Amino acid sequence: MLRNRINLLIQKVKRVKSIIVLSPTMCDIVILDEMTSKDVKSCIPSNLVVNILPIRDELPVIKSIYFIVLFVVYLIKFKTPRMALIISILKFWNPKLFITFIDNSDLSIPIKSVFPTINILSIQNGNRHQITNPKHPKLFLDHYFCFGEGVKDMFLSTGHNVRHFHYIGSLRAGLFLAKKIKQDEQFDLCFISDFRLLIDPWDNKTLASYKISQLLFEVVTQFAESNDLKICVAMRQSENSKGINDEYDYYNTTRKCVIMLPHHEYSSYSAIQSSRLSISMGSTLSYEALGLGNRVMIGLDIANMTSGVLLEQWDNNLMTFKLGELQRIHSLDFTEFSIKASKLLQMSDAEYMEYNKKSRKYYMNIHPTNLPQQIIKNKIKEFLA
């Protein structure tokens, strides 16, 4: 049986992009996932030793007899080569704490089974309405640094298990705020792109989002032209990415001309900060805009979105029910959108901040004077004291 498992590992090796030989040096903290490690490092005190464990397509190994022994032991325990590798590396490094920016993975369960006394910090990295799908694996998170109380309601209503919730807002938004980039108002409207390549035209959920987002953009551009407003699109694709032309084509199928802003680092945050009102189907960025105090309208109440994407798991739509009525787009009706958008644009800043005070705290509880990265850093110091 062990031979079969080793053969399975060999087959897996053939499928991975590369084998990565990791340092045998022990550490204080392990960051789970190399791709998101740059943002996570901003939360870690500089005096601590940090190792990064790639957990995507790479095959990480350590050159050591002890590592091989550990691998054989955990291969027998977990029966999957990849999990055995991950646990063996963590055991070899002997850290005091784990931290990850991948919050919708079930990796915490096997890690906690081997390291029951070590804290695992998971940082929310996007909206998580997909966890309401009954087919989604049940998650166990130890310390979850999430956007707000709305995330807790969503997790607990659908049977997931989180030991400790910490409502801190978005780490990425916090890192943007820390840069203190001055934004001049350039646009009246910002349409936050939810574009995704339509790989499978028979995927009802993707198709619903794909078509409705395009129709909503038509409504927004019609409103802009009717009121002589400037509009930009905060794109998902970066300038040199494979999908950039597809995203241009997606928006060029409409009859309007707008300023397209390809994605790069914090460009999407700059786009919403330099616009008077942002509109989205319900992207993470739209909720970050809410938390940052920007005017925003969200389309997750549109009928085909709630049935096709959110799967109608709730009596109330947990993604929108705390929003002000002016911020909720219920249909693709031009009159509804026009009335709501006009009222939001006419509000003073003070009126708007009071209007969305409760929804900001519930959905994106970010504090400008106590940013997410500092909250996490303080918690790490507390855990390792």
Side-chain angles (χ1 to χ4, degrees):
M1 184 172 289
L2 180 59
R3 181 180 297 173
N4 290 338
R5 291 173 185 166
I6 293 174
N7 287 334
L8 181 61
L9 174 63
I10 293 172
Q11 294 301 315
K12 198 168 186 68
V13 167
K14 293 179 180 179
R15 293 197 299 269
V16 299
K17 292 180 179 177
S18 61
I19 297 176
I20 297 180
V21 180
L22 301 176
S23 167
T25 305
M26 291 191 293
C27 61
D28 299 305
I29 294 177
V30 171
I31 299 176
L32 302 168
D33 185 39
E34 185 173 34
M35 187 176 293
T36 58
S37 61
K38 179 182 176 181
D39 292 336
V40 175
K41 281 182 177 179
S42 67
C43 307
I44 300 175
S46 59
N47 63 316
L48 298 176
V49 178
V50 178
N51 286 352
I52 300 171
L53 177 58
I55 58 173
R56 300 200 184 217
D57 296 325
E58 304 85 358
L59 190 69
V61 297
I62 295 175
K63 289 183 178 180
S64 164
I65 298 298
Y66 177 50
F67 170 75
I68 295 173
V69 172
L70 288 173
F71 172 72
V72 172
V73 170
Y74 290 115
L75 183 60
I76 295 171
K77 177 179 174 64
F78 291 104
K79 300 181 173 58
T80 59
R82 189 162 191 81
M83 186 55 63
L85 280 173
I86 290 173
I87 298 298
S88 299
I89 292 168
L90 297 180
K91 195 73 174 177
F92 193 100
W93 281 342
N94 192 30
K96 301 171 185 175
L97 186 144
F98 304 109
I99 185 167
T100 182
F101 212 177
I102 302 179
D103 59 299
N104 58 346
S105 165
D106 57 0
L107 191 59
S108 292
I109 297 174
I111 292 177
K112 203 67 177 177
S113 72
V114 178
F115 305 92
T117 62
I118 298 182
N119 292 305
I120 305 174
L121 281 60
S122 300
I123 305 170
Q124 187 170 356
N125 192 22
N127 282 344
R128 292 294 170 240
H129 52 71
Q130 70 270 26
I131 68 165
T132 63
N133 189 325
K135 295 181 180 179
H136 194 288
K138 294 305 177 188
L139 298 176
F140 167 81
L141 301 179
D142 191 11
H143 287 269
Y144 191 23
F145 293 83
C146 62
F147 292 164
E149 189 178 353
V151 178
K152 177 180 178 180
D153 289 346
M154 194 183 307
F155 266 71
L156 298 186
S157 69
T158 48
H160 299 280
N161 185 4
V162 178
R163 290 182 61 196
H164 306 281
F165 287 95
H166 307 270
Y167 311 138
I168 66 167
S170 162
L171 173 59
R172 287 281 296 168
L175 294 174
F176 170 75
L177 285 177
K179 289 183 175 294
K180 299 181 179 179
I181 301 173
K182 181 174 172 42
Q183 300 293 332
D184 296 323
E185 191 174 280
Q186 300 179 50
F187 307 101
D188 298 295
L189 306 177
C190 174
F191 189 83
I192 300 171
S193 176
D194 286 290
F195 172 78
R196 286 174 173 78
L197 289 173
L198 193 60
I199 297 173
D200 181 3
W202 301 105
D203 181 349
N204 290 334
K205 288 189 293 183
T206 304
L207 187 61
S209 176
Y210 185 91
K211 289 183 174 179
I212 297 168
S213 180
Q214 202 169 39
L215 292 172
L216 178 60
F217 181 66
E218 280 278 3
V219 173
V220 174
T221 51
Q222 183 184 349
F223 175 76
E225 283 202 343
S226 300
N227 294 276
D228 195 25
L229 301 177
K230 293 182 291 184
I231 180 173
C232 69
V233 174
M235 299 175 68
R236 288 180 60 87
Q237 303 292 324
S238 57
E239 191 65 65
N240 298 315
S241 64
K242 285 173 133 185
I244 185 71
N245 290 330
D246 294 294
E247 189 167 6
Y248 277 126
D249 291 343
Y250 176 79
Y251 289 105
N252 286 341
T253 58
T254 63
R255 64 183 181 279
K256 314 299 179 185
C257 179
V258 299
I259 304 299
M260 305 294 291
L261 302 176
H263 177 77
H264 63 86
E265 197 170 19
Y266 296 104
S267 63
S268 297
Y269 297 103
S270 296
I272 60 173
Q273 290 280 59
S274 60
S275 302
R276 295 170 60 205
L277 173 65
S278 297
I279 303 98
S280 170
M281 286 303 304
S283 68
T284 300
L285 182 62
S286 63
Y287 286 88
E288 290 172 312
L290 177 74
L292 294 172
N294 299 107
R295 291 169 171 80
V296 65
M297 296 176 71
I298 293 173
L300 285 176
D301 285 306
I302 297 173
N304 287 342
M305 285 296 292
T306 55
S307 61
V309 179
L310 299 182
L311 304 175
E312 294 183 329
Q313 293 293 307
W314 315 298
D315 293 333
N316 289 317
N317 186 339
L318 291 183
M319 293 294 293
T320 60
F321 85 113
K322 289 282 189 178
L323 294 174
E325 187 55 35
L326 297 178
Q327 297 170 307
R328 300 175 70 172
I329 305 171
H330 291 279
S331 72
L332 296 169
D333 178 69
F334 176 78
T335 302
E336 179 208 345
F337 179 87
S338 181
I339 291 172
K340 291 181 176 181
S342 296
K343 287 183 177 179
L344 286 171
L345 288 169
Q346 290 164 8
M347 282 185 180
S348 68
D349 290 343
E351 287 173 330
Y352 178 73
M353 293 301 283
E354 183 61 30
Y355 180 74
N356 79 342
K357 183 178 180 180
K358 291 182 179 179
S359 61
R360 285 202 318 274
K361 182 177 181 181
Y362 184 76
Y363 289 116
M364 190 61 65
N365 188 38
I366 188 167
H367 298 279
T369 58
N370 190 20
L371 295 175
Q373 56 268 37
Q374 190 58 51
I375 296 173
I376 297 171
K377 185 175 291 187
N378 291 339
K379 187 58 69 172
I380 290 173
K381 291 177 180 178
E382 176 187 322
F383 285 148
L384 299 184

